[in-house]
Amino acid sequence: MNKIDAALNKYYEGFGENYPLGISEIRTTDEIISDIEPGIETGDKAEELLYEEYVDYY
């Protein structure tokens, strides 16, 4: 298992939900890992991205 898989598994085990998928599109693997690890220690979940209505994100 690589580092990102381990971090995502820890997030799921800690919060009972998957890390927000939208965030993984705009952050590097190292940024995601550095976001997950302290969040688990403090109990802070990652914030979902807010999407505007009527915007084509694709």
Side-chain angles (χ1 to χ4, degrees):
M1 181 180 306
N2 60 32
K3 290 172 76 174
I4 188 66
D5 289 335
L8 292 172
N9 283 337
K10 279 186 188 178
Y11 187 89
Y12 185 80
E13 289 171 7
F15 298 113
E17 60 187 51
N18 290 321
Y19 188 78
L21 181 61
I23 293 175
S24 65
E25 294 291 325
I26 60 171
R27 292 190 180 159
T28 66
T29 299
D30 290 335
E31 289 173 327
I32 293 170
I33 292 169
S34 66
D35 183 42
I36 290 174
E37 290 175 346
I40 290 171
E41 293 174 11
T42 62
D44 295 329
K45 293 195 299 188
E47 292 186 27
E48 292 278 348
L49 295 177
L50 298 177
Y51 294 100
E52 306 247 346
E53 288 188 51
Y54 310 112
V55 175
D56 185 8
Y57 287 96
Y58 297 100

